[in-house]
Amino acid sequence: MGRVTSIVGSCCLALLLAINILSRKCDAEDEFKVEKEQKGLFVLGDSLFDPGNTQYIKSSLTKIFSAGNPPYGESFFKHPTGRFSDGRVVPDFIATFAGLPLISPYLQPHPTPFTDGANFAMAGAAVTDGLDPNVNLPKQLSYFKALAKSLEHDLGEIEAKRVLEKSVYLFSIGGNDYVGFQNQNPNATKSSGREFIDQVVYNLTDAFKAIYSLGGRKIAYQNVGPLGCAPSIRARSGGDCNEELLEMAREHNQAFSEVLKKLEIELSGFKYSFFDYYVSFYDIVINPVKCGFKEVKRACCGVGPFRGSGCGTKKYELCDKPSEYVWFDGEHPVERVNLQMANLLWSGPPEVTGPYNMKQLFQI
């Protein structure tokens, strides 16, 4: 893995996978579910994967991130759930494909052990300190460590270890680091940018090792997407994609793909899935019609240039058909894009998702 140039037709592949599900007249769970043996799904990351954790914390970001307000959630849940989409996000589809219930926010009160998994992802999260240390990756890892202890208390040491070893760990994080870096360092040199990428990759590597030390053996990573083309970024870049952010994302993805290859050699039993989200999503950005979308620059929900901000917080504008748009708000895709990406993450070929896809990780 580690390819950062365009993979021709990745969005068409995702579209075909989705159409294939519908043509067989079965739901995603019937199509994809793995063997019945209990295997959980643990999710860490940012707002792309947040199922509503941000609603349960007191954070400086609460007023900025407003997915607990309408019209979020309108296409599937029919009410806001704290997800930054009109419906489901990628981990929701992955859980369904694996035959699991939707994985709940970790911070939502739970009456039973987390044997199906837990989702720690939070809006604004970064690998480094980011916008708020209460939501960053180190904080999420601290929650996971507490969960591991509670599993041992509830299930016993042997069974808890079995659950953690058989489960799959899904990450999506890094984009906020680079947006934050550019906002704070508008005149940064290439060398300082490269140093920051190295720092993010180093910290992310430590996070993967921390999961491994607690028993995790199968980790999937959705790499940093083409965040320079989000409507909120276009609004500040005169309508064009921000090439500096795109380049930082590509360099991060290349560097971390090489790290994962080394970890597979160094860590006994470590298996990973590297999903080239950047290339797969960028294919939609540059070929929206081919991928089944009509609008790629403007968000479905928001105000201002390209509806790049304000969804759920102000008197927003809302499109009639979210499924025709690539972006639901200024930074996050619509449910239909999430489904296409989840299909590739779950069962994409090695040049898109490798060396294992997530279906294979669950089957190991």
Side-chain angles (χ1 to χ4, degrees), residues 267-283:
L267 304 178
S268 176
F270 176 81
K271 305 294 182 184
Y272 73 92
S273 175
F274 183 88
F275 170 43
D276 206 335
Y277 180 65
Y278 180 98
V279 165
S280 301
F281 200 159
Y282 192 63
D283 198 13

Side-chain angles (χ1 to χ4, degrees), residues 1-224:
M1 280 305 296
R3 296 183 59 184
V4 293
T5 54
S6 179
I7 298 172
V8 178
S10 59
C11 75
C12 289
L13 174 61
L15 193 56
L16 285 171
L17 286 169
I19 292 171
N20 186 49
I21 296 171
L22 296 174
S23 66
R24 296 190 187 189
K25 297 182 179 179
C26 60
D27 62 22
E29 181 178 344
D30 292 333
E31 176 72 9
F32 288 118
K33 79 170 95 175
V34 297
E35 288 98 1
K36 270 293 185 182
E37 184 183 5
Q38 181 68 49
K39 295 178 180 179
L41 174 65
F42 293 94
V43 183
L44 300 96
D46 54 28
S47 55
L48 290 175
F49 282 6
D50 186 355
N53 277 309
T54 311
Q55 298 179 104
Y56 299 99
I57 60 173
K58 291 183 179 180
S59 166
S60 60
L61 302 174
T62 304
K63 294 181 180 180
I64 302 174
F65 298 122
S66 52
N69 300 328
Y72 288 100
E74 65 166 20
S75 295
F76 180 77
F77 299 100
K78 307 305 179 185
H79 63 87
T81 63
R83 289 168 172 83
F84 288 80
S85 174
D86 58 309
R88 290 161 288 186
V89 291
V90 167
D92 295 324
F93 291 111
I94 297 299
T96 302
F97 297 165
L100 296 167
L102 298 188
I103 306 301
S104 301
Y106 172 73
L107 295 180
Q108 177 180 305
H110 287 78
T112 56
F114 295 91
T115 51
D116 288 323
N119 190 325
F120 305 91
M122 301 182 195
V127 178
T128 53
D129 288 343
L131 299 172
D132 191 326
N134 291 315
V135 303
N136 65 12
L137 186 54
K139 184 66 173 180
Q140 293 179 38
L141 287 172
S142 73
Y143 286 139
F144 177 69
K145 291 176 183 177
L147 181 147
K149 288 183 178 179
S150 71
L151 279 178
E152 186 172 331
H153 176 270
D154 294 335
L155 305 177
E157 182 179 353
I158 295 176
E159 180 62 14
K161 181 179 179 181
R162 188 195 69 82
V163 169
L164 295 176
E165 287 184 349
K166 290 183 176 295
S167 294
V168 177
Y169 301 81
L170 174 59
F171 282 73
S172 172
I173 198 163
N176 288 327
D177 293 273
Y178 298 116
V179 173
F181 176 81
Q182 189 180 77
N183 288 342
Q184 296 167 17
N185 304 276
N187 300 312
T189 62
K190 284 272 189 181
S191 61
S192 63
R194 181 68 246 184
E195 289 175 2
F196 183 72
I197 292 170
D198 290 342
Q199 178 187 347
V200 173
V201 169
Y202 180 86
N203 289 1
L204 187 56
T205 303
D206 275 355
F208 274 44
K209 289 180 178 178
I211 294 293
Y212 180 87
S213 70
L214 291 166
R217 294 295 181 266
K218 300 179 289 184
I219 304 182
Y221 181 61
Q222 174 177 291
N223 72 12
V224 177

